[in-house]
Amino acid sequence: MTQPRKTALTLLFLLILTSPVIGLAYQVWFQENRIETYLSADRAYELAVCQIGAPDWPFGAAHCRFELRSGGRTISKLRFDVHDDGMSARPKHFHVHWFPDFVRVVVTASEQPDALYDLYYDGNTEVTVQHPAAKTAETYAAEKKMARDAAIKQVSRVLELDIPAGGEVQYNLNTHDGFHGDGKTYIQIRFRDGGPILEQLEARSDWRSLPLPEELRLLGEYARDSLATDEELGEGYWFFLDRHSEAVDRRDYGAARQRFSVNFILAFYSVGEETLCFCQMDS
């Protein structure tokens, strides 16, 4: 048997012997296991949670990673550990809350204080350790109310409407940020009694009857990927305002679609659903 052949057989034999060890080492240190995937209410953002390898032996931390994505693009990645007596990370360890500008994940485990991870839609991240857990729950309630009040106030101010109390903010997305203030906003408010808001719209000449013109619907999808269909909206009213510096007629949505950048307000109200939708786009 020639020397090269002996060498090749020896290497093959060693590879067969060591492959289980290599495979085990990969699983222990490098293999990524998807724990859970969370979606924002409007499905514009996706948060994936993975564990990397196995927890440190014998009772150490599980090493994990958050990955925030939108439209197939990765916005940010953030490494973190879960300390729970040597256990692998599980969905029970994560409490996910979506806000207009960021997603917050609270990681709770038996051997660590609650850790708050904020992943912003502009790519920034913040980490805060908070203890005890009761304060975290109070923080959630306060932030949720603050976000709701801010959304209603914005819609009321921009549309010059008196938004009645009791409106439920079903969606609240706002990516406006940065030096130029570019971004999109989509706010959806449902009312228990839409009568007061309907009276205001019927008295306004700048609100027109549904359905949405197709050209305007295409424009509105800049702010939200999928708007409600004409059948879903039924009867109601729509409003449009071109905010671009080059706009001659602020109500001309056709001209707005001809530009490379768009700056507009679009709102529509469904009588049957008693729902007001507000879109703002700046690019």
Side-chain angles (χ1 to χ4, degrees):
M1 185 180 294
T2 63
Q3 185 62 33
R5 187 176 180 185
K6 287 182 179 179
T7 302
L9 289 174
T10 301
L11 292 174
L12 179 61
F13 180 69
L14 290 174
L15 180 62
I16 292 173
L17 287 178
T18 59
S19 58
V21 177
I22 295 173
L24 179 61
Y26 174 77
Q27 292 179 8
V28 171
W29 291 314
F30 303 109
Q31 180 171 311
E32 292 191 8
N33 297 300
R34 179 70 62 87
I35 299 171
E36 190 64 271
T37 300
Y38 303 90
L39 294 175
S40 60
D42 62 357
R43 308 183 73 85
Y45 295 93
E46 175 184 289
L47 179 71
V49 185
C50 298
Q51 178 172 309
I52 303 169
D56 293 339
W57 190 86
F59 302 109
H63 307 292
C64 305
R65 186 182 71 212
F66 295 127
E67 184 172 343
L68 181 63
R69 296 191 292 261
S70 178
R73 177 179 65 90
T74 298
I75 299 174
S76 62
K77 296 181 180 180
L78 182 62
R79 297 286 293 264
F80 66 98
D81 293 337
V82 175
H83 300 266
D84 198 359
D85 199 26
M87 291 179 56
S88 292
R90 301 177 183 178
K92 72 174 185 177
H93 292 121
F94 309 107
H95 308 275
V96 179
H97 304 267
W98 297 92
F99 293 95
D101 300 321
F102 66 97
V103 57
R104 167 167 292 174
V105 187
V106 182
V107 179
T108 60
S110 64
E111 296 184 315
Q112 67 177 60
D114 289 354
L116 279 63
Y117 297 89
D118 293 341
L119 289 83
Y120 288 81
Y121 305 143
D122 63 2
N124 291 321
T125 59
E126 292 182 4
V127 181
T128 306
V129 175
Q130 188 166 15
H131 193 77
K135 291 185 178 179
T136 303
E138 293 172 1
T139 301
Y140 296 156
E143 289 180 338
K144 185 175 182 179
K145 183 179 185 302
M146 185 183 301
R148 173 194 175 278
D149 292 346
I152 291 179
K153 184 177 180 180
Q154 179 181 2
V155 174
S156 179
R157 174 180 54 80
V158 175
L159 298 181
E160 297 180 342
L161 293 173
D162 181 14
I163 304 295
E168 176 192 357
V169 179
Q170 296 179 312
Y171 295 103
N172 184 8
L173 171 68
N174 188 346
T175 66
H176 282 82
D177 200 1
F179 179 76
H180 297 288
D182 291 349
K184 61 183 179 181
T185 296
Y186 180 80
I187 300 171
Q188 182 171 309
I189 307 171
R190 186 164 190 174
F191 303 97
R192 297 188 184 94
D193 177 11
I197 195 74
L198 182 59
E199 290 180 6
Q200 296 178 67
L201 302 185
E202 291 176 336
R204 294 268 296 268
S205 61
D206 51 354
W207 285 76
R208 305 178 186 178
S209 297
L210 290 173
L212 286 173
E214 183 61 24
E215 202 169 12
L216 184 56
R217 175 178 293 277
L218 294 173
L219 192 64
E221 289 178 352
Y222 281 112
R224 180 169 171 80
D225 294 337
S226 179
L227 297 179
T229 64
D230 292 336
E231 290 76 15
E232 291 170 333
L233 291 174
E235 295 183 3
Y237 296 89
W238 62 266
F239 169 91
F240 175 80
L241 181 67
D242 189 351
R243 301 172 59 250
H244 200 281
S245 59
E246 298 177 1
V248 177
D249 181 356
R250 297 292 182 184
R251 308 298 175 184
D252 184 3
Y253 51 82
R257 274 187 47 82
Q258 305 305 315
R259 305 189 191 99
F260 290 106
S261 63
V262 290
N263 302 80
F264 66 83
I265 299 292
L266 168 65
F268 47 93
Y269 177 77
S270 169
V271 175
E273 295 295 325
E274 295 186 303
T275 300
L276 176 66
C277 301
F278 171 87
C279 307
Q280 178 175 337
M281 183 69 193
D282 297 286
S283 66

